[in-house]
Amino acid sequence: MNTMFIALNQQTGGEGGSIQFLLMMVLIFVVMYFFMIRPQQKRQKEMVKFRDSLEKGMKVMTAGGIYGTVKEVGDIYVVLEVDNNVNIKIDKAMIMKDPATAPVSKK
């Protein structure tokens, strides 16, 4: 039984296989970080910056898809006018940029 294990160990390269596996896992994590995690963190920072810069009169959209104009900005809430004399109070975390007012990029 021991001779069979030694023969299999010599055929697979011994410890070389586990080092290659470890390097492959590290490489996968690095690729995931640069293509998934880092861009998401950048978008989150931009959204926090946008929400902190909200001012009266800005056109915004809620996470639920409601478009409106900012009428009042509080610490944790925003009052939006969605129609003439129709105001709703929304949590500041649910406010996004209005895609209609975003600059159009030409490719």
Side-chain angles (χ1 to χ4, degrees), residues 72-94:
E72 180 185 340
V73 179
D75 290 336
I76 59 170
Y77 69 91
V78 176
V79 176
L80 295 181
E81 183 178 38
V82 293
D83 201 7
N84 292 335
N85 297 323
V86 178
N87 296 327
I88 56 175
K89 192 175 189 179
I90 302 287
D91 188 76
K92 206 176 209 181
M94 296 293 114

Side-chain angles (χ1 to χ4, degrees), residues 23 41 76:
L23 288 174
Q41 289 175 341
I76 59 170

Side-chain angles (χ1 to χ4, degrees), residues 14-74:
E15 292 296 317
S18 62
I19 292 173
Q20 287 177 348
F21 175 75
L22 182 62
L23 288 174
M24 185 66 74
M25 294 305 291
V26 168
L27 180 67
I28 288 171
F29 179 76
V30 168
V31 168
M32 282 181 52
Y33 176 78
F34 281 106
F35 285 108
M36 296 174 69
I37 298 169
R38 190 165 178 246
Q40 179 64 27
Q41 289 175 341
K42 186 177 178 184
R43 279 191 295 268
Q44 286 176 342
K45 286 180 185 177
E46 288 174 1
M47 286 304 298
V48 168
K49 184 178 175 183
F50 170 74
R51 289 176 182 142
D52 289 339
S53 69
L54 284 173
E55 297 175 351
K56 186 176 179 180
M58 291 179 73
K59 294 189 182 295
V60 295
M61 182 178 80
T62 67
I66 300 171
Y67 291 86
T69 305
V70 176
K71 288 296 173 185
E72 180 185 340
V73 179

